[in-house]
């Protein structure tokens, strides 16, 4: 092989490796708790913050779509602000994971809210209820 092709291949491999490394490091989002975030917040760095929405802290203005609340892990609390509507399962005393960045003004600016929910399935009706039994009879079609 000619040396110029070898040098060209090495340069291309180095450039490709750098592009892959830069893409991975820029898209990495670290999961932290409120205690970890308040210990050493870095303004502008992307985080995924998880905790419980503190009771009485949820405020939403439907006209401006400003949402503010406090996330807590039992030890520390972090004020969070978001622009947009909250998810359906989002509420006080429930788990939530927010993605965004710490702002030097002393709050977390969320760009995405993910409401946590239980993975246990519960039947929507009590099987001993009379209405449920009637529904089953009609679905069977035999009138038993």
């Amino acid at each position: 092989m000619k040396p110029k092709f070898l040098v060209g291949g090495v340069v291309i491999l180095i450039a490709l490796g750098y592009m892959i490394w830069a893409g991975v490091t820029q898209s990495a989002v670290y999961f932290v708790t409120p205690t970890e975030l308040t210990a050493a917040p870095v303004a502008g760095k992307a985080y995924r913050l998880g905790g419980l929405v503190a009771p009485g802290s949820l405020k939403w203005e439907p006209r401006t779509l400003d949402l503010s609340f406090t996330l807590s892990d039992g030890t520390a609390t972090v004020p969070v602000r978001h622009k947009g509507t909250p998810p359906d399962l989002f509420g006080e005393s429930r788990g939530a994971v927010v993605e965004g960045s710490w702002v030097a003004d002393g709050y977390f600016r969320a760009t995405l809210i993910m409401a946590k929910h239980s993975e246990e399935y519960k039947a929507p009706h009590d099987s001993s209820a009379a209405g449920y039994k009637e529904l089953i009879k009609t679905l069977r079609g035999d009138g038993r």
Side-chain angles (χ1 to χ4, degrees), residues 53-135:
V53 179
S57 69
L58 183 60
K59 293 176 184 74
W60 185 56
E61 181 58 46
R63 290 184 181 197
T64 60
L65 298 178
D66 289 329
L67 176 67
S68 63
F69 56 94
T70 303
L71 274 184
S72 173
D73 62 358
T75 306
T77 59
V78 173
V80 179
R81 294 183 191 168
H82 177 71
K83 188 82 164 175
T85 57
D88 290 338
L89 296 175
F90 182 77
E92 294 180 349
S93 300
R94 290 188 176 180
V97 176
V98 294
E99 195 171 296
S101 60
W102 180 257
V103 178
D105 293 343
Y107 66 92
F108 189 86
R109 181 182 297 138
T111 55
L112 175 67
I113 298 175
M114 296 171 276
K116 295 176 84 178
H117 59 85
S118 173
E119 62 275 350
E120 294 179 21
Y121 174 76
K122 294 183 181 175
H125 301 287
D126 184 12
S127 62
S128 63
Y132 178 77
K133 291 179 181 177
E134 279 298 313
L135 176 64

